[in-house]
């Protein structure tokens, strides 16, 4: 029995579940202790807490769409992406540690937002990051995990690309 392989699975499963738990706990807290559209300034000129609901996808895309099929299409697409990520991880095609961790973060974030869509037909967002008058789209813990995960995957790809003699996804020992 390969204990290293089992530890990798435990570590990846823990990462997915930790992201899902942190995301759902933060959304529950926001929903329980704030009213929708409330604004709390946390760091003036940098960070607000704003309780919003996004029926669309990333960056508010499709938020104003009136088709009843949007939620179904987004759920099916999310499920397909999650199945693909699980396959990449299970088939050993997720690269090295950075790629695997990145895909686990993406998977946990996708699961958190998908759970919101299943339960509420929209996603709770609450982190409003800005600099002066330039606001980023309001986001949540799941979105943060997806962005960090995608960044880790990209960093591993760039690292492997810059070292042509190196086998992709293999860590130096």
């Amino acid at each position: 029995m390969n204990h290293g392989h089992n530890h990798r699975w435990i570590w990846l499963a823990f990462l997915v579940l930790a992201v899902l738990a942190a995301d759902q706990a933060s959304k529950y807290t926001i929903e329980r202790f704030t009213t929708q559209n409330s604004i709390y300034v946390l760091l003036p000129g940098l960070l607000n807490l704003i309780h919003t609901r996004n029926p669309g996808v990333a960056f508010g895309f499709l938020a104003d769409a009136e088709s009843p099929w949007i939620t179904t299409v987004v759920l099916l697409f999310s499920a397909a992406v999650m199945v693909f990520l699980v396959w990449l991880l299970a088939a050993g095609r997720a690269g090295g540690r950075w790629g695997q961790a990145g895909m686990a973060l993406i998977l946990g974030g996708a699961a958190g937002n998908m759970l919101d869509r299943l339960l509420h037909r929209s996603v709770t967002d609450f982190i409003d990051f800005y600099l002066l008058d330039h606001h980023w789209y309001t986001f949540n813990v799941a979105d943060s995990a997806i962005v960090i995960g995608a960044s880790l995957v990209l960093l591993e790809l760039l690292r492997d690309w810059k070292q042509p003699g190196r086998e992709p996804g293999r860590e130096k020992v």
Side-chain angles (χ1 to χ4, degrees):
M1 187 158 121
N2 185 347
H3 292 291
H5 184 71
N6 288 340
H7 286 113
R8 180 179 65 97
W9 280 109
I10 291 169
W11 174 75
L12 292 172
F14 174 78
L15 194 53
V16 170
L17 293 174
V19 168
L20 179 60
D23 177 63
Q24 291 300 299
S26 63
K27 289 173 181 173
Y28 173 80
T29 301
I30 292 299
E31 291 167 1
R32 175 85 166 86
F33 296 107
T34 67
T35 58
Q36 194 163 341
N37 299 319
S38 60
I39 300 173
Y40 300 93
V41 177
L42 299 178
L43 296 171
L46 189 63
L47 184 65
N48 292 334
L49 185 102
I50 300 179
H51 180 172
T52 63
R53 304 232 22 117
N54 179 7
V57 292
F59 311 120
F61 183 65
L62 299 176
D64 296 329
E66 296 182 20
S67 172
W69 293 100
I70 293 298
T71 300
T72 303
V73 169
V74 170
L75 284 170
L76 289 172
F77 179 76
S78 297
V81 168
M82 291 171 65
V83 166
F84 180 65
L85 291 173
V86 168
W87 175 79
L88 286 172
L89 288 164
R93 296 177 180 257
R97 288 186 183 113
W98 289 16
Q100 293 170 16
M103 288 187 195
L105 288 169
I106 295 168
L107 189 56
N113 283 340
M114 185 175 182
L115 186 57
D116 262 20
R117 283 190 182 88
L118 284 169
L119 297 175
H120 309 291
R121 299 190 59 84
S122 63
V123 174
T124 299
D125 289 327
F126 55 90
I127 302 168
D128 176 38
F129 178 75
Y130 63 100
L131 191 56
L132 303 173
D133 291 334
H134 304 286
H135 286 252
W136 188 248
Y137 291 92
T138 307
F139 58 99
N140 57 42
V141 172
D143 299 332
S144 299
I146 291 168
V147 169
I148 292 167
S151 298
L152 288 174
V153 170
L154 182 61
L155 284 171
E156 183 170 288
L157 288 171
L158 290 173
R159 183 195 65 194
D160 289 347
W161 178 68
K162 287 187 173 198
Q163 298 177 10
R166 183 172 172 193
E167 190 176 334
R170 301 289 179 210
E171 306 298 328
K172 280 189 175 179
V173 182

